Amino acid sequence: MKPKQAKETMIHVLRGGNTPLLIGGTGLGKSAVVSQMAYELADGRTVRVDKVDPNKNEFGFIDFRLSLYESVDLGGLCYIEEGKQLRAFLGNLPIKGEGILFLDEYGQAHPSLQAVAGQLIYERRIGEYTMPEGWQIVCASNRASDRAGSNKLPSHVIGRCSLIEFEHDFDNWLEWAIDNDVHPHVMGYLQFQPHALNIFDPKVITPQPSPRSWVRLSDTLKTKPSSNMIQRMAECDVGEIQSIEFNNFVKTFTKLPNIESILKGDDVEAVSDMGLCYATTIALSETVSNANESIKFDYFDNALNYVSQYSSPEYKIFFVRMTTKRNPELMETSTYAQFKVENQDVEF
């Protein structure tokens, strides 16, 4: 399923009193989708990460990476008291309130820990511990075929969970990227080459492009490295081939038309090269977003008129999505209203 479909399915599975288990490749954003779902389920309450006892105005979210722990970290340490065997828990399981316990990297956990987690999923208890009614469990795992250190999932886990096959989707990722301030150069390049979002070969052990690795590169680019270092830095996250292609795309920013003239409404010939179209669109969006309030609305109008001359409507849609996300006040303009009318079939 695509991320949006997976999230909607998870919500309904949880409402039905069952446990969803996301299955998908490495770096596709499974954890991010679960985290996003937690904020939706919070319904206005404050999401408190790793808080085991949220109050009525809070919603807990515990991200438990099973591959990093041993069975005693979840199942407690056994001890004897007055002839009875009890368990000393580590205080990392919810004790009251409402929230999501996210058991991530399930397939990478040791079988002994998988067994403990399986009991928690099926019985909602471990020894003397019982999970509060307001808490629900969500699981995620890579496939064994992804060579990410995952083992084959135990049959009892498959039988106790609703399995959701998770796959990447460029449109869903782009929407997330705009919401989460991913670097414009990364978004622009992937609009230009959407196939490059995720290229996975289990036999390759060098860096490969994935939604996660592109976001890492975005974080690096925000530190404003020198232009002669961009390709080397990109290679650290997305591999040699994509680092070369990405660096070539970034170089197109040196060939931009006169952005100031476009924003002033002057008659500037529209560029036609696809990469340059995306680079110009990004430059226009960045300049509009950083403009003073007194000229921002005119800039938005003139920039949209310019990108509307391109051969494909995807450029103006990309421009409007990026710019209005950073400047919601632009959605109150007649320019935006007219754009919405002309693009009624596009979801924003």
Side-chain angles (χ1 to χ4, degrees):
M1 292 185 186
K2 296 178 180 180
K4 271 190 173 181
Q5 296 171 327
K7 184 177 66 174
E8 182 178 355
T9 301
M10 281 193 294
I11 290 174
H12 285 283
V13 169
L14 289 172
R15 287 174 178 168
N18 296 303
T19 301
L21 170 55
L22 288 179
I23 300 286
T26 60
L28 297 187
K30 298 185 295 297
S31 302
V33 168
V34 175
S35 177
Q36 187 180 39
M37 181 189 68
Y39 278 86
E40 290 188 17
L41 293 176
D43 195 24
R45 289 171 289 179
T46 302
V47 175
R48 298 298 301 272
V49 177
D50 294 333
K51 188 170 184 181
V52 299
D53 58 346
N55 61 41
K56 64 179 181 180
N57 297 317
E58 298 172 333
F59 189 83
F61 180 67
I62 300 175
D63 189 345
F64 206 101
R65 304 293 173 106
L66 291 174
S67 63
L68 304 178
Y69 296 92
E70 298 179 1
S71 58
V72 295
D73 296 314
L74 186 64
L77 185 64
C78 293
Y79 68 98
I80 304 297
E81 184 177 279
E82 297 180 355
K84 294 182 180 180
Q85 178 178 298
L86 302 174
R87 293 174 186 254
F89 293 98
L90 301 186
N92 51 13
L93 290 173
I95 57 176
K96 73 172 188 178
E98 296 183 2
I100 293 293
L101 175 61
F102 181 32
L103 302 180
D104 200 1
E105 300 177 355
Y106 203 107
Q108 291 154 278
H110 190 274
S112 63
L113 185 53
Q114 289 183 348
V116 175
Q119 182 184 6
L120 189 60
I121 293 169
Y122 188 60
E123 301 179 9
R124 294 182 60 84
R125 60 183 295 272
I126 304 172
E128 306 83 56
Y129 170 79
T130 301
M131 179 172 287
E133 287 297 322
W135 282 78
Q136 294 174 293
I137 299 173
V138 176
C139 302
S141 178
N142 296 127
R143 297 178 292 252
S145 59
D146 295 324
R147 297 182 68 176
S150 296
N151 302 307
K152 186 177 180 180
L153 289 172
S155 58
H156 69 271
V157 174
I158 296 175
R160 294 170 180 174
C161 298
S162 297
L163 266 64
I164 302 171
E165 289 283 345
F166 189 92
E167 61 184 20
H168 79 280
D169 176 76
F170 178 76
D171 290 334
N172 282 185
W173 181 85
L174 180 62
E175 183 178 336
W176 178 91
I178 293 173
D179 288 343
N180 288 272
D181 195 31
V182 170
H183 196 283
H185 287 182
V186 171
M187 288 194 288
Y189 174 71
L190 291 176
Q191 275 277 120
F192 175 44
Q193 300 282 8
H195 72 278
L197 176 62
N198 187 66
I199 303 174
F200 178 72
D201 183 345
K203 298 185 292 295
V204 174
I205 59 174
T206 54
Q208 299 185 72
S210 71
R212 180 189 297 161
S213 62
W214 283 112
V215 173
R216 281 202 310 271
L217 176 58
S218 165
D219 294 338
T220 301
L221 294 176
K222 289 178 184 178
T223 66
K224 299 181 179 179
S226 59
S227 59
N228 64 326
M229 287 296 294
I230 288 179
Q231 182 175 328
R232 292 179 181 271
M233 292 180 175
E235 187 174 346
C236 298
D237 289 315
V238 297
E240 182 180 9
I241 295 176
Q242 287 305 313
S243 68
I244 295 171
E245 295 292 333
F246 178 73
N247 189 52
N248 289 337
F249 173 76
V250 172
K251 285 181 179 178
T252 62
F253 283 82
T254 63
K255 306 174 184 178
L256 296 177
N258 192 312
I259 298 299
E260 184 178 356
S261 296
I262 294 172
L263 294 174
K264 286 181 178 179
D266 296 341
D267 186 14
V268 178
E269 183 179 358
V271 295
S272 57
D273 176 79
M274 185 179 295
L276 190 53
C277 285
Y278 277 116
T280 304
T281 301
I282 291 169
L284 289 170
S285 177
E286 287 290 294
T287 308
V288 170
S289 297
N290 295 321
N292 294 328
E293 293 298 322
S294 59
I295 56 176
K296 181 175 292 186
F297 297 97
D298 286 339
Y299 275 14
F300 177 66
D301 188 23
N302 292 331
L304 182 56
N305 286 335
Y306 180 82
V307 297
S308 295
Q309 300 177 64
Y310 293 165
S311 59
S312 172
E314 65 187 75
Y315 300 104
K316 64 180 178 180
I317 293 170
F318 180 44
F319 168 77
V320 170
R321 279 178 170 170
M322 278 205 309
T323 312
T324 56
K325 190 63 184 180
R326 295 178 62 182
N327 307 270
E329 66 274 16
L330 294 174
M331 290 190 286
E332 304 299 325
T333 64
S334 58
T335 300
Y336 180 79
Q338 181 62 34
F339 171 83
K340 286 283 289 183
V341 171
E342 294 173 355
N343 299 272
Q344 297 180 41
D345 56 332
V346 179
E347 183 180 349
F348 287 91

